[in-house]
Every structure is written in C-alpha cells, then in structure tokens.
C-alpha cells in the first residue's frame, strides 16, 4: 500500500468514526485543512523535479478526490440518519384509536321542553317564542292584572330601569302568560279581514315555553326558571277540552295511564273560572300525593278583548306550567338549584 493509499484509508476510518457533524468537520480539517496532511503533501511538491511533480501531483490529487468522496458520503449518511431519527420521532401511529371528545347531552330541563313540545305538537299545538324582557302592559295590564296586584310588586318582579317607546316600564317577564297576548294579537291581525267579514277564524292553539324571572330563591325556587304557557281559543272551546288536553298531556308526559288529575278552584286575574291542576301518581315514591303542576282557566273576557278578539265569539282556555317542576317529578330530583349549578356529576346522569 502506498503512503497515499494508507492516508486515504485512515481518513475514511476517521470520517466513519466521527460521531457528530462537528467532529466530522474537525476530521476533515486534519486532512484537507490549511495545515492538513494532504495539504502538507501538496506543499511538499515544490521540492520535487518537474517530472516527479507531475506523477506525484496526480497521485495526491487522486487521493484528495477519494478523501473528498469519503467526506461527502459520510456527510450524506449523517444527514440521512438525522432525517430518519426525526421522522421516527415525529411518526404518527395511524392505528392508534382517536382521542374522543366528551359527548354532551341535553340538559334535563331541555329534555322536558322537548317532550312538552312533542306531546302538544301531536295535539296540533304550535310552538311560539317571545321576548324575556317584556313591557308591564304585556306582563300585567293586558292580562287583567290590576295596578295594585301583588304580582307586580318589586319583591316579585325584576324591573328594568327603562321604558319602551309607548312609555311602558320594562321587566324580566315573571311568567310566560304575555305570550298569550302576543301570539293571539298576531293571529287576530293576520285573520282580521276574515273575522270582520264574519268568517270563522282558524283556532289558536299554541304553547310558549321559555325562561321566566322572579325575585325568589330556595330549594324549589330559582330567580330564573322555566314556564310553558298554553292557549287554545276558538268558537267552541270549553273547560272540558282543557281537561281532556291536559289529562292527555300529563299521562303521556309521565308515561302513566293511571295518573290522576284534579282541577282545584283557584284565582288568576286572567282566567275565570280558574283552576290549579294537581296530579297524583298511582305508584312510585310519590304515590297518592297531590302535586301541583299548573295553573289554568277559561280566558277572561277582558283578556280576549286585549287579544283584539270579541269575547262573545272567541273563547277558550289557557294554562301555565313549570317544566322545572315537571322535570323534578319525572326524575325524582329534590332540589331545583341542581338544574342551574352546572355540576357535571349531576348533569351526566341524564346523558
Ligand atoms: N302565569 C301564571 C303563573 O305564573 C300561571 C298561569 C295560571 C298561566 C293560569 C295561565 C293560567 O295561562 O290560565 O303563576
């Protein structure tokens, strides 16, 4: 082996042994740098004769090319290894099962709302929504609530320190009953020509579920709660229809055909006669106990007039129930506040 061959072999071994790119560059300098071994050999050419210079120069150049090639190969190998390692580190295991998002569920009160809408929907009731910020005219006056009625009081009602364009004070609606007036007035306006011409107006059959507000807070009262209003007005709608419809609703809602209903005489300014509706289960922990679930009654003539309709021709009934309470009864929940605390341990039970 010539001295040059030996040099190439050592260089190759040196390059292969270099563990990092930096050390490879150091190794390169040992051969090809300014004071490198190959460089030194080239410098030594000056002392040779013309012919010797030619052969020796060519040999050294050849050795240089082989060392260069070894260097390039080692650099490439290092780059490949680095890329490999990086790819391996960033590798995605596409066979791993995906990470699931938590699956949400409907709030128990929303479930009740959906049930109410589905059951009344099947009986031909429309579903209406209305504003939660109401005028005192809609909340009280139109519903025949006298000026001094306790329901209007500051202790009961959240007032908004503002009036609408007509000068009516605004409040957070304390019940969904104003929706009777809003819906019936729109219905009467829509069919005004028909009614004026003596025609028979299509019946009003609507429920209006939504949020309501009162200054009230304990285990069975929350300042924000839910109500669902119902209204059925026609030329021939009677208290009997109310009993049929509401009995049907309760039995479907609680999935119990032997559920008992009781219409207990009561008072509401907007109905006459008025009744509180109580139910009693035929079995279960509450068996035989009368539980109040709704207020109801035949709509008062003054209210029908405020609908923009003639109380001599258009009669019917209204009712208002509490979906929160229905939910408590259906699922056996004993504290209303659980519905609004947002505690997942409670809510997850309804998924
Ligand atoms: N608005 C009444 C309340 O909040 C409930 C009610 C009673 C609604 C009788 C009605 C009704 O439509 O006829 O207590």
């Amino acid at each position: 082996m010539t001295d040059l061959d030996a040099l190439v072999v050592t260089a190759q071994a040196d390059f292969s042994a270099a563990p990092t790119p930096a050390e490879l560059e150091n190794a390169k300098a040992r051969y090809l740098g300014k004071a490198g071994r190959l460089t030194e050999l080239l410098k030594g050419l000056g002392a040779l004769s013309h012919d010797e210079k030619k052969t020796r120069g060519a040999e050294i150049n050849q050795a240089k090319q082989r060392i260069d090639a070894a260097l390039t190969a080692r650099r490439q190998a290092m780059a490949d290894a680095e890329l490999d390692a990086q790819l391996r580190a960033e590798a995605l295991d596409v066979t791993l099962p995906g990470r699931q998002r938590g699956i949400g569920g409907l709030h128990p009160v929303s479930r009740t709302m959906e049930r109410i809408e589905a059951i009344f929907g099947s009986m031909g009731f429309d579903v209406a929504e209305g504003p939660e910020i109401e005028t005192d005219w809609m909340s009280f006056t139109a519903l025949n609530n006298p000026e001094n009625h306790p329901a209007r009081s500051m202790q009961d009602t959240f007032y908004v320190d503002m009036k609408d364009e007509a000068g009516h004070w605004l409040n957070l609606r304390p019940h969904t009953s104003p929706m009777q007036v809003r819906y019936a007035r729109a219905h009467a306006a829509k069919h005004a020509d028909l009614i004026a011409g003596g025609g028979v107006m299509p019946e009003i059959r609507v429920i209006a579920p939504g949020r309501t507000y009162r200054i009230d807070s304990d285990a069975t009262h929350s300042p924000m709660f839910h109500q669902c209003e119902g209204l059925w007005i026609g030329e021939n709608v009677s208290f009997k229809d109310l009993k049929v419809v509401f009995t049907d609703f309760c039995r479907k809602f609680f999935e119990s055909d032997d559920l008992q209903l009781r219409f207990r005489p009561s008072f509401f300014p907007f109905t006459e006669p008025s009744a509180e509706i109580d139910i009693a289960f035929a079995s279960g922990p509450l068996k035989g106990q009368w539980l109040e679930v709704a207020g109801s009654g035949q709509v008062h003539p003054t209210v029908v007039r405020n609908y923009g309709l003639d109380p001599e021709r258009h009669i019917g009934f209204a009712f208002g129930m509490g979906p929160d309470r229905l939910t408590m009864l259906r699922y056996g929940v004993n504290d209303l506040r659980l519905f609004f605390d947002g505690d997942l341990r409670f809510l997850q039970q309804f998924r």
Side-chain angles (χ1 to χ4, degrees):
M1 196 190 294
T2 68
D3 62 334
L4 284 172
D5 283 340
L7 185 65
V8 169
V9 170
T10 341
Q12 283 168 340
D14 242 7
F15 293 164
S16 310
T20 63
E23 288 187 52
L24 180 60
E25 293 316 305
N26 287 340
K28 171 199 164 188
R30 284 199 292 279
Y31 299 91
L32 305 170
K34 265 190 204 147
R37 292 172 65 180
L38 209 89
T39 320
E40 292 298 326
L41 289 179
L42 284 168
K43 282 184 199 158
L45 284 178
L48 299 181
S49 70
H50 181 75
D51 281 351
E52 277 172 332
K53 222 184 259 178
K54 234 176 150 183
T55 17
R56 182 66 175 163
E59 281 164 11
I60 295 178
N61 252 334
Q62 217 179 20
K64 183 176 184 291
Q65 275 167 20
R66 288 168 69 197
I67 292 176
D68 270 339
L71 178 68
T72 309
R74 180 66 182 137
R75 275 186 184 148
Q76 189 59 50
M78 273 185 173
D80 286 352
E82 199 191 352
L83 183 64
D84 254 15
Q86 192 184 346
L87 286 177
R88 229 173 298 118
E90 292 172 3
L92 281 184
D93 181 354
V94 291
T95 63
L96 269 182
R99 237 169 270 146
Q100 285 207 327
R101 288 243 192 154
I103 297 173
L106 276 187
H107 190 278
V109 174
S110 305
R111 283 174 184 268
T112 294
M113 291 296 208
E114 288 199 345
R115 272 180 87 70
I116 294 173
E117 289 174 21
I119 295 169
F120 277 103
S122 76
M123 295 192 260
F125 280 73
D126 194 8
V127 178
E129 271 184 37
E132 290 171 27
I133 300 176
E134 260 300 2
T135 64
D136 67 347
W137 191 82
M138 284 287 183
S139 291
F140 302 118
T141 315
L143 292 163
N144 199 31
N145 256 297
E147 287 289 342
N148 56 357
H149 193 278
R152 293 198 182 213
S153 98
M154 290 286 279
Q155 284 78 48
D156 227 58
T157 304
F158 287 105
Y159 283 93
V160 179
D161 198 9
M162 221 192 287
K163 291 182 175 181
D164 74 353
E165 316 84 66
H168 295 121
W169 282 107
L170 299 176
N171 56 49
L172 296 185
R173 65 179 180 189
H175 53 178
T176 44
S177 302
M179 278 308 291
Q180 290 181 26
V181 186
R182 285 186 179 273
Y183 188 90
R185 283 173 77 87
H187 187 90
K190 191 161 121 194
H191 301 289
D193 290 346
L194 182 78
I195 298 168
V200 177
M201 173 189 86
E203 288 187 345
I204 294 172
R205 224 181 285 177
V206 66
I207 58 165
R211 277 186 284 267
T212 46
Y213 303 85
R214 281 183 212 174
I215 304 174
D216 227 347
S217 189
D218 59 37
T220 51
H221 296 88
S222 147
M224 187 287 301
F225 59 107
H226 297 87
Q227 280 200 343
C228 182
E229 198 72 13
L231 181 66
W232 186 349
I233 298 287
E235 301 211 337
N236 227 335
V237 183
S238 73
F239 216 93
K240 175 201 71 190
D241 297 305
L242 167 62
K243 287 183 113 171
V244 170
V245 161
F246 212 83
T247 303
D248 211 26
F249 163 71
C250 288
R251 292 190 173 155
K252 283 199 174 112
F253 183 85
F254 289 106
E255 296 167 281
S256 159
D257 283 339
D258 38 17
L259 188 86
Q260 296 293 304
L261 270 85
R262 174 171 84 176
F263 288 75
R264 184 164 38 85
S266 185
F267 172 80
F268 298 102
F270 31 92
T271 45
E272 178 59 35
S274 306
E276 215 93 56
I277 307 177
D278 301 335
I279 61 168
F281 295 103
S283 58
L286 295 170
K287 176 181 171 186
Q289 231 172 293
W290 286 111
L291 308 156
E292 185 188 318
V293 291
S296 67
Q298 181 162 336
V299 180
H300 194 285
T302 301
V303 178
V304 176
R305 228 171 273 122
N306 289 332
Y307 293 165
L309 294 170
D310 175 4
E312 295 296 328
R313 268 187 79 187
H314 300 108
I315 57 170
F317 62 80
F319 57 84
M321 57 184 158
D324 303 326
R325 184 155 165 73
L326 292 180
T327 313
M328 289 171 81
L329 290 173
R330 184 164 147 82
Y331 296 112
V333 175
N334 54 17
D335 193 328
L336 175 72
R337 289 167 295 197
L338 284 168
F339 290 144
F340 310 122
D341 282 349
D343 188 333
L344 284 178
R345 287 168 304 178
F346 172 73
L347 295 173
Q348 275 169 345
Q349 297 176 50
F350 299 91
R351 274 212 306 233

